Amino acid sequence: MKKKEKKERFFRRLFKFPLIILTIIVIIIAILFGAYGYIYSGKSVYAYVKGEPVYYYEMFNEIVDQARKNNVSVLSLQGGDPQSAFARYTINTFAKEEVISRKFFYLMALEDNFDCTLSELDTAMYEFKKAVTGISDDLEENFESELTLRRATEQQLRAVLKGKIIAQKEIDKLTEHIVLTPEEIYAYYEEWSFAYDEEGKTSEEIFREKYDKLERSALYLEKQQYMIKLRASLIEENESEIVIDNRYKKFMRWFYRDIMNLVVPDEFEPEKV
């Protein structure tokens, strides 16, 4: 009887052993998959500003905006010739400065309790769609093409627009002190008078009749120039708070350098501010 019990215990332990090994293997696989998922999810991050992520879809969106703002074809940025390479570098630099500085203003806006209402966001989406679809017969198809060009989903686009609205509120606060005297507005008019000339009217008449429009334009330009300097100083003074890298790139650098003993491809190297 004792021999039989010993035999049964032996077989129970024998069957239990593979089950333990299998459980350990499953746990290890789950950990590896979880670690890989965590590392791979970092691939969507372009940079960190004060620890807050700036996503690639924000960068791609800004590249399209900067290209159009500077009258550069987005498709031409993909070329391999020197001219395309220079345009790509220039537009990417503009976009990088814009998304990084905007993130600073966004974080400052949150500290000042600025927010974006649903109504403001819906209006921004409406204006965006109207601008990119124009008078097209198929507005929805045009909108989808625009999202593809910007490498973003509609939800991601809404996130970009929301961030812009909140950041703009901080920018408005930072520039509300800027006012212009009539003399400064007239100096602006003299510089840009060719854009306002009307046949048969004197400069004084034009200046008087279009004063409100001139004031808005001059004030806008003054604020733009002020913000250019502020953006540059903000990035320079907070350079240590900007990291243009992500955990996926770090992992790939480690993999190439320490595991494969190979040269790390440029695409996995961190960018400079």
Side-chain angles (χ1 to χ4, degrees):
M1 189 72 179
K2 287 183 179 180
K3 288 183 178 181
K4 188 176 179 181
E5 288 178 0
K6 286 181 179 179
K7 190 175 181 181
E8 287 176 353
R9 282 199 300 270
F10 171 77
F11 279 110
R12 279 199 300 270
R13 286 196 299 269
L14 187 64
F15 285 115
K16 195 175 182 181
F17 185 72
L19 183 61
I20 293 172
I21 297 297
L22 181 61
T23 302
I24 293 172
I25 291 173
V26 169
I27 291 172
I28 291 173
I29 291 174
I31 291 172
L32 290 175
F33 270 102
Y36 179 76
Y38 172 75
I39 292 168
Y40 191 80
S41 66
K43 193 176 182 180
S44 63
V45 175
Y46 169 69
Y48 289 93
V49 174
K50 287 191 169 183
E52 292 296 316
V54 175
Y55 294 99
Y56 268 105
Y57 64 77
E58 296 179 72
M59 183 64 174
F60 293 139
N61 184 80
E62 192 58 39
I63 286 173
V64 174
D65 285 345
Q66 289 294 329
R68 289 176 177 166
K69 182 179 178 180
N70 291 277
N71 296 316
V72 176
S73 168
V74 178
L75 295 178
S76 72
L77 299 177
Q78 301 172 10
D81 57 286
Q83 187 176 357
S84 296
F86 177 75
R88 183 165 56 249
Y89 171 79
T90 303
I91 296 301
N92 282 358
T93 300
F94 290 159
K96 176 170 64 176
E97 292 174 352
E98 184 65 29
V99 296
I100 288 175
S101 61
R102 185 186 299 142
K103 183 62 73 170
F104 275 116
F105 293 131
Y106 171 82
L107 294 174
M108 292 162 66
L110 294 183
E111 290 179 0
D112 288 332
N113 296 316
F114 287 124
D115 201 354
C116 172
T117 66
L118 181 59
S119 175
E120 289 173 327
L121 183 55
D122 286 342
T123 298
M125 276 294 291
Y126 171 78
E127 293 296 334
F128 177 89
K129 286 184 177 182
K130 188 170 70 172
V132 301
T133 56
I135 56 173
S136 170
D137 292 331
D138 194 336
L139 301 182
E140 198 56 40
E141 183 179 345
N142 263 26
F143 177 60
E144 290 299 325
S145 298
E146 188 68 22
L147 289 176
T148 300
L149 182 66
R150 294 169 184 263
R151 305 187 198 182
T153 63
E154 184 171 349
Q155 184 178 2
Q156 288 170 340
L157 176 62
R158 289 179 70 88
V160 170
L161 295 177
K162 181 177 180 179
K164 283 185 176 183
I165 291 169
I166 294 174
Q168 186 59 49
K169 290 180 179 180
E170 182 65 23
I171 291 171
D172 291 341
K173 176 194 170 185
L174 294 170
T175 57
E176 65 184 1
H177 69 282
I178 300 175
V179 293
L180 298 177
T181 64
E183 291 75 22
E184 288 172 320
I185 297 169
Y186 191 78
Y188 167 84
Y189 168 63
E190 285 186 316
E191 184 177 354
W192 298 93
S193 59
F194 63 88
Y196 297 93
D197 280 348
E198 287 187 25
E199 191 175 346
K201 291 186 178 181
T202 65
S203 296
E204 287 70 20
E205 288 175 329
I206 295 171
F207 179 72
R208 187 169 55 252
E209 292 174 5
K210 297 188 176 181
Y211 184 84
D212 290 344
K213 183 178 180 181
L214 287 164
E215 183 181 27
R216 287 194 299 271
S217 299
L219 190 58
Y220 174 79
L221 183 61
E222 189 71 18
K223 289 184 176 183
Q224 286 292 99
Q225 292 172 341
Y226 174 81
M227 287 306 302
I228 288 172
K229 294 178 183 177
L230 182 58
R231 284 188 175 94
S233 63
L234 190 62
I235 291 174
E236 183 179 354
E237 292 169 7
N238 294 276
E239 188 173 343
S240 62
E241 299 279 4
I242 305 167
V243 179
I244 307 180
D245 199 5
N246 60 47
R247 57 177 175 264
Y248 176 75
K249 285 183 178 181
K250 290 178 182 178
F251 172 79
M252 294 306 293
R253 289 199 297 274
W254 170 77
F255 179 77
Y256 273 93
R257 189 180 296 124
D258 298 337
I259 302 299
M260 303 298 292
N261 197 27
L262 296 172
V263 175
V264 178
D266 290 342
E267 64 184 289
F268 299 125
E269 294 290 359
E271 287 186 39
K272 294 181 179 179
V273 178

